[in-house]
Amino acid sequence: MIKFVVGGQVEKQSIADLIKKVGGDKVEVEVKSDIQAANSVKSKKADYYLGACHTGGGGALSMAMALLTRDKCATVSMPGSAPKEEAIVNAVEEGKVAFGFTGDHYEVAVPLIVREILNRQS
């Protein structure tokens, strides 16, 4: 069971619902505040953090960067720059555990991130 937490500023419940839809019974998802979500990953109560905001790297990831360090975080989309599968594959491979993206890209970013993480676990 892979545990995801959703932080960020926008689309939290939609992101959580999509994680569950893509991951099915292989994932567990909780929606939390930014600090609670990042702290859950830091304390190993969750495996991965996903969050969205209007820029992809501000409110989506700021608390995760503060608690987990920049080395563990990846911005996978920004305004005008949609998520790219290759960048997400590389980020997961590099050991990133927190992913930020813009709210309007969550329907593309979330399936790519969750599927890549699940592929690495099997």
Side-chain angles (χ1 to χ4, degrees):
M1 179 71 66
I2 300 171
K3 295 181 180 178
F4 287 87
V5 286
V6 178
Q9 303 301 309
V10 297
E11 306 289 355
K12 287 182 169 187
Q13 191 58 54
S14 297
I15 292 167
D17 292 345
L18 189 52
I19 292 169
K20 191 68 184 162
K21 181 179 177 184
V22 173
D25 61 359
K26 296 177 183 171
V27 301
E28 183 178 304
V29 186
E30 284 186 83
V31 175
K32 297 184 171 209
S33 71
D34 289 358
I35 193 165
Q36 290 172 325
N39 210 23
S40 291
V41 174
K42 184 173 182 166
S43 63
K44 309 280 186 205
K45 293 177 183 168
D47 302 302
Y48 293 96
Y49 171 108
L50 273 66
C53 69
H54 297 294
T55 64
L61 279 179
S62 59
M63 194 54 65
M65 284 187 185
L67 293 178
L68 304 172
T69 74
R70 186 174 188 81
D71 289 343
K72 293 293 184 184
C73 301
T75 299
V76 299
S77 85
M78 300 175 74
S81 179
K84 294 182 176 60
E85 184 171 0
E86 183 179 341
I88 291 170
V89 168
N90 289 339
V92 172
E93 188 174 291
E94 291 169 2
K96 307 291 187 190
V97 295
F99 300 88
F101 40 86
T102 59
D104 60 337
H105 289 149
Y106 87 89
E107 292 174 305
V108 176
V110 171
L112 290 172
I113 294 165
V114 172
R115 285 186 189 123
E116 184 58 27
I117 289 168
L118 290 174
N119 285 341
R120 299 265 170 202
Q121 300 293 318
S122 55

